[in-house]
Amino acid sequence: MDLRIYSDYKELSKEAAKLIMNVVNANPTGLLCLAAGHTPVGIYKCLVDFAREGKVDFSRCKFVSLDEWVGLGMQDEGSCIKFMHDNLFNPLGILESNIAFFNGQASDLELECKRIDEFVFKNGPIDVVLLGIGINGHIGFNEPGSAFDAYSHVAILDEITKEVGKKYFPVQRQLEKGLTLGIKHFLEARNVILVASGAGKAEIIKKTVESPPDTSLPATALKLHNNFYLLLDKEAASLL
Ligand code: F6R
């Protein structure tokens, strides 16, 4: 585990973005899997700036979805697909043909998981996975108890995930399930970056750093990866 602590969110975002940029510059046709959520917003701003400054070109990269809320789609504020388009894909001008995203409104969710798995098997391994962490230790929608050897699957959302997830939605939602890449995808990726910011993440970061790999705390699985970067700001690292 390569643990790096930065003075604030701004520096964390810039350094995480630089890591991703370096991966893309090394392999401009690579496959990327990038999280939605509040933590990576600053990283995506930096990536868009880097691209506009000509430091990196994402036009030949492929992007695979990390996760999606079952029932939501592009039209829904708070869906992962809309978040990624608003914050990254549209500002970068990424072609839809280079994006494979879970359809949270698919009629057959198992088949949808298979479709995304097949995309990863065909275009992978994933060059870089960027993850955030939930206060329950989830990564993507791999909730506590998720198997480390699972690929994409339908996840029953943890109570904490449902409660905390309310922050993404302007209107109240009744969300019970998610679609997510599995931990096995993360372990088979070339690089995994987990970012956490703010005092609210300090407790789960302390547990993740101190605990051996255990399914009760999904983020600990990443310690099994040889190229696992844990990037924190000072507040998220404050209990270490
Ligand atoms: C989002 C995702 C989630 C978030 C996590 C942290 O695509 O997969 O696992 O990364 O819940 O969310 P934020 O960054 O909003 O604290």
Side-chain angles (χ1 to χ4, degrees):
M1 179 171 77
D2 184 342
L3 171 64
R4 303 183 187 182
I5 299 168
Y6 300 104
S7 57
D8 55 21
Y9 177 71
K10 201 172 163 200
E11 196 191 353
L12 167 71
S13 300
K14 192 160 188 187
E15 294 305 318
K18 276 193 207 161
L19 266 181
I20 295 167
M21 173 171 73
N22 292 342
V23 169
V24 173
N25 283 337
N27 182 10
T29 60
L31 176 61
L32 278 58
C33 173
L34 306 174
H38 289 161
T39 313
V41 170
I43 300 175
Y44 300 150
K45 283 206 177 92
C46 289
L47 288 178
V48 171
D49 287 346
F50 292 164
R52 287 185 179 151
E53 290 160 15
K55 293 178 178 160
V56 61
D57 175 9
F58 290 93
S59 64
R60 290 186 297 147
C61 291
K62 289 197 160 56
F63 296 83
V64 66
S65 166
L66 171 61
D67 51 8
E68 187 58 281
W69 306 89
V70 167
L72 301 195
M74 187 68 127
Q75 72 287 353
D76 296 302
E77 197 60 53
S79 67
C80 297
I81 190 167
K82 180 164 175 17
F83 173 92
M84 290 306 299
H85 277 80
D86 289 349
N87 287 278
L88 193 70
F89 300 150
N90 291 345
L92 286 178
I94 303 297
L95 298 175
E96 282 303 316
S97 54
N98 286 340
I99 301 169
F101 224 93
F102 283 118
N103 174 7
Q105 298 170 327
S107 54
D108 186 336
L109 297 174
E110 299 295 338
L111 201 66
E112 185 58 9
C113 290
K114 265 206 188 114
R115 182 180 73 86
I116 294 294
D117 279 347
E118 272 156 23
F119 181 85
V120 175
F121 300 146
K122 183 165 171 238
N123 296 285
I126 301 172
D127 288 84
V128 62
V129 181
L130 174 70
L131 299 167
I133 184 170
I135 56 168
N136 58 358
H138 78 187
I139 42 177
F141 281 142
N142 290 277
E143 301 286 25
S146 298
F148 287 1
D149 60 355
Y151 286 121
S152 299
H153 56 277
V154 182
I156 306 295
L157 299 176
D158 190 72
E159 288 307 318
I160 295 175
T161 301
K162 288 192 267 185
E163 189 54 37
V164 175
K166 287 180 182 162
K167 68 179 178 172
Y168 303 121
F169 305 108
V171 288
Q172 194 77 6
R173 296 275 186 179
Q174 202 63 29
L175 299 167
E176 301 295 336
K177 290 181 187 169
L179 299 174
T180 186
L181 287 198
I183 289 173
K184 196 159 191 213
H185 284 298
F186 308 153
L187 296 179
E188 290 178 357
R190 292 198 168 107
N191 299 281
V192 181
I193 304 170
L194 179 66
V195 284
S197 164
K201 297 285 171 73
E203 188 67 46
I204 194 63
I205 287 298
K206 176 181 158 70
K207 284 188 191 153
T208 301
V209 169
E210 291 178 358
S211 159
D214 190 288
T215 54
S216 66
L217 205 175
T220 57
L222 304 176
K223 294 174 159 187
L224 299 168
H225 197 292
N226 287 332
N227 292 320
F228 168 40
Y229 299 86
L230 178 58
L231 307 189
L232 309 172
D233 64 11
K234 248 204 269 178
E235 290 184 336
S238 59
L239 298 177
L240 297 182

